[in-house]
Amino acid sequence: GDGAVWSMDCDFNGSDMGREQSKGEECGGKCKASNGCTHFSYFDGWCYKKSGQVSQADAFTKKDVMCGILNGKVLF
């Protein structure tokens, strides 16, 4: 529904625009609603909104973290 493609146990370095408390399933929508947000990470009740170009190659394995990319780009 929010156009996000996500995966478990992954994260992205840097490019943080900010963070806000949320449920994991709400993180993609919060990113989409934020001007300039292109991808996100979710960990321990916090949605980390991120900006800039990103691809699958930019993601790295991190246990218990969810990450995603907007606009239907395939992550994994």
Side-chain angles (χ1 to χ4, degrees):
D2 57 21
V5 177
W6 56 273
S7 184
M8 294 301 297
D9 296 329
C10 67
D11 198 359
F12 296 106
N13 279 324
S15 302
D16 288 351
M17 296 175 48
R19 70 178 189 159
E20 63 181 285
Q21 286 189 300
S22 76
K23 296 179 182 176
E25 61 270 18
E26 298 171 346
C27 195
K30 289 184 180 295
C31 180
K32 186 175 182 180
S34 298
N35 190 30
C37 187
T38 58
H39 57 296
F40 57 90
S41 297
Y42 177 82
F43 176 70
D44 198 26
W46 289 94
C47 179
Y48 295 85
K49 298 176 283 185
K50 299 171 178 275
S51 64
Q53 291 188 358
V54 70
S55 71
Q56 174 182 348
D58 298 309
F60 63 92
T61 302
K62 189 166 185 181
K63 187 166 174 46
D64 299 325
V65 177
M66 175 189 78
C67 71
I69 300 174
L70 294 186
N71 301 322
K73 297 176 184 172
V74 176
L75 183 58
F76 290 104

